[in-house]
Amino acid sequence: MPATDSQVPPPSTGLPFPAAQPAQSPPPYSPPAAPTANPSATPSFLPLDQLFTNPVFAGGLGLASLGAAAAFGRRALIQSTALLRRQLLVNIEISKRDPSYSWVLAWLAQPRDNSGFIAQRLTRLRSLSVSTTTKSLSKAAGEEGHGRTHADFRVQPGFGHHIVRHKPGVYIAVNREKASTATTATGEPHETLTLTLLWMHRHVLAEVFTQAHELAQSFQQGKTVVYTARNMQWAVLGKPRLKRPLGSVILDEGVKESLVADVKEFMAAQEWYTERGIPYRRGYLLYGPPGTGKTSFIQALAGELDYSVAMINLSEMGMTDDLLAQLLTQLPEKSILLLEDVDAALVNRRQRDPDGYSGRTVTASGLLNALDGLAAGEDRIAFLTTNHIDKLDPALIRPGRVDMMVRIGEASRYQAGQMWDRYYGDIDTDHAGRERFLERLDGLGLFGGDQKDPAVPKRHTSTAAIQGLFQFHKGDMEGAIKTAEHLIPRTYEPEPPIVEGAIKSPA
């Protein structure tokens, strides 16, 4: 059967088996060809391709990138937090030099209503400080010893961070810090008190300072605060003193009333001074012998007006003209300026004292300019005292610096009678004892003698001496009358020179 095109047999090789295909051997190994250098490319000093293909370099670059990203994110978070604090919070810093520092600390020490789960957890004070005040109490009936001492402990937030609840929903963050630096003169470290509130509660600050000031005023109710110059600023001298009643100071008839009326008239005429362009200040000079009640009257006047007293010792070492002018322009509010013994303060001691003091530091011109010069402040009531008015410079006591001069002299008959009534008025109801006492003083010539009887010596005594006599004879008016001769001023003779080798007996 003839073969078709689709069934064409393979060509015969003449062998009984199919012919085997020869095995192909692998091609010989040849190294990869080096890259062809581009003749136009410049040679690279740092082969970046090799650096980026290096796994060590690539890993270090990744870590550095992560660190930079973390630092950037941290800085962005800090700046964002600071921005939010500036936008949402308000801070107020109070220095210890500011008077409100002690006010706010006393206000923070007051007990508060911290009821509620959140308030109890947030307002726990773990750092406290204590402020202690003591006062002596009179002895009870039948009690022996020196009497009792009352101690008042006031606990307040210590140094560190605290949270105080002002009222429901209003919290105040308190940060009390003590700086590493200190005041050069006293060595006392600087302290600051920072209050932080939400911006929406910023109006609470006015309430805080108002309540703190009212609380401080309540502590000083019935007391007179005395300030003294300490370095470059005013500082409270000791504890506030009980107000001295104006009636306890006995001056000659009409003197006290005229001074008080003049001061009160000045206080009510501020608008009158302002309209006429006159500096709103007034000066008074009280002169006379010592022990006549000049300083006592100023203290009682401050209590009557509810004012404080600001004292300056012109003889203090370190007091200069510039410092005096600065202190007078920074007087505490509602205070009477007191310059005592201005005659002694301006006497130049040319000899060097054992303490190294060789003369005054406040000059007469400096005092004049501080009282009535370009550097003089306004809204001021100033009192000057002296025992020797004849030693004062006439320029110091001219009108404008001293507007009213009053002599506070020796005890008069009127003053002695008023003082007797004050001490013995409850037992001398018919005033018979007072008349006997005054006649006794007349006989001793303690009211300046008797013009009709030249034999009566011309003597004087002071109200301080009479007060000392009455205090020695409390409730014993007969004893005061019998020992009235002790009011005669004593004269002391100078001691004889000590013989060399002699032993001086102690006083």
Side-chain angles (χ1 to χ4, degrees), residues 231-267:
N231 302 313
M232 302 292 293
Q233 58 186 354
W234 292 99
V236 178
L237 180 62
K239 300 178 182 179
R241 296 157 173 77
L242 291 176
K243 288 183 178 179
R244 181 166 184 172
L246 194 60
S248 65
V249 180
I250 309 298
L251 301 182
D252 208 357
E253 190 172 5
V255 173
K256 178 174 60 176
E257 292 76 11
S258 63
L259 280 170
V260 174
D262 188 86
V263 172
K264 290 184 176 181
E265 181 184 1
F266 168 75
M267 295 174 58

Side-chain angles (χ1 to χ4, degrees), residues 129-444:
S129 63
V130 62
S131 176
T132 307
T133 57
T134 60
K135 64 178 180 179
S136 300
L137 302 177
S138 58
K139 293 189 298 182
E143 184 180 0
E144 298 181 355
H146 300 284
R148 297 170 296 169
T149 300
H150 173 76
D152 183 16
F153 301 95
R154 186 175 63 193
V155 179
Q156 56 195 14
F159 295 98
H161 297 270
H162 314 277
I163 296 180
V164 176
R165 183 190 184 189
H166 176 57
K167 55 186 178 181
V170 179
Y171 293 87
I172 302 175
V174 180
N175 182 22
R176 186 182 179 189
E177 293 181 321
K178 180 185 294 185
S180 57
T181 58
T183 306
T184 306
T186 62
E188 187 178 5
H190 296 294
E191 295 181 14
T192 57
L193 188 68
T194 305
L195 307 181
T196 304
L197 299 90
L198 290 175
W199 176 258
M200 65 176 63
H201 297 153
R202 61 189 181 276
H203 61 277
V204 174
L205 289 174
E207 300 178 6
V208 170
F209 285 101
T210 300
Q211 295 177 7
H213 182 257
E214 292 176 353
L215 182 63
Q217 292 294 323
S218 65
F219 290 155
Q220 300 174 0
Q221 191 71 25
K223 298 180 180 179
T224 301
V225 181
V226 179
Y227 294 92
T228 184
R230 184 178 300 171
N231 302 313
M232 302 292 293
Q233 58 186 354
W234 292 99
V236 178
L237 180 62
K239 300 178 182 179
R241 296 157 173 77
L242 291 176
K243 288 183 178 179
R244 181 166 184 172
L246 194 60
S248 65
V249 180
I250 309 298
L251 301 182
D252 208 357
E253 190 172 5
V255 173
K256 178 174 60 176
E257 292 76 11
S258 63
L259 280 170
V260 174
D262 188 86
V263 172
K264 290 184 176 181
E265 181 184 1
F266 168 75
M267 295 174 58
Q270 182 174 6
E271 185 178 354
W272 185 90
Y273 279 80
T274 304
E275 291 177 351
R276 288 156 180 79
I278 304 174
Y280 183 59
R281 52 177 175 260
R282 194 158 182 84
Y284 300 86
L285 175 65
L286 305 183
Y287 65 96
T292 54
K294 296 183 289 295
T295 305
S296 299
F297 168 74
I298 296 171
Q299 180 184 355
L301 177 64
E304 175 72 15
L305 303 177
D306 199 15
Y307 268 44
S308 58
V309 178
M311 298 191 311
I312 295 182
N313 184 7
L314 299 177
S315 301
E316 182 180 1
M317 296 178 59
M319 182 65 65
T320 61
D321 293 345
D322 295 338
L323 179 56
L324 177 63
Q326 179 181 354
L327 290 172
L328 263 60
T329 56
Q330 298 177 354
L331 278 175
E333 295 291 334
K334 297 184 63 178
S335 63
I336 294 177
L337 173 65
L338 174 58
L339 302 176
E340 288 190 291
D341 299 328
V342 290
D343 59 312
L346 298 179
V347 174
N348 191 3
R349 297 178 294 173
R350 299 185 180 275
Q351 295 183 351
R352 183 177 294 272
D353 293 344
D355 60 356
Y357 184 75
S358 59
R360 65 173 183 246
T361 53
V362 175
T363 62
S365 61
L367 177 59
L368 297 180
N369 292 328
L371 291 177
D372 183 31
L374 294 177
E378 295 195 11
D379 194 4
R380 184 187 69 200
I381 301 175
F383 274 86
L384 287 70
T385 66
T386 180
N387 298 332
H388 306 281
I389 191 173
D390 55 314
K391 296 182 179 180
L392 296 182
D393 190 334
L396 178 62
I397 56 178
R398 70 160 177 81
R401 295 190 177 104
V402 173
D403 303 289
M404 188 174 183
M405 293 188 298
V406 178
R407 185 180 188 275
I408 310 296
E410 298 84 356
S412 64
R413 186 182 182 89
Y414 170 81
Q415 290 175 279
Q418 292 293 317
M419 295 180 67
W420 177 276
D421 291 340
R422 187 167 185 84
Y423 280 88
Y424 303 112
D426 54 340
I427 57 178
D428 184 25
T429 56
D430 57 354
H431 305 299
R434 181 182 65 181
E435 294 302 323
R436 291 166 51 206
F437 177 74
L438 295 179
E439 291 177 1
R440 174 74 168 149
L441 297 187
D442 275 330
L444 296 173

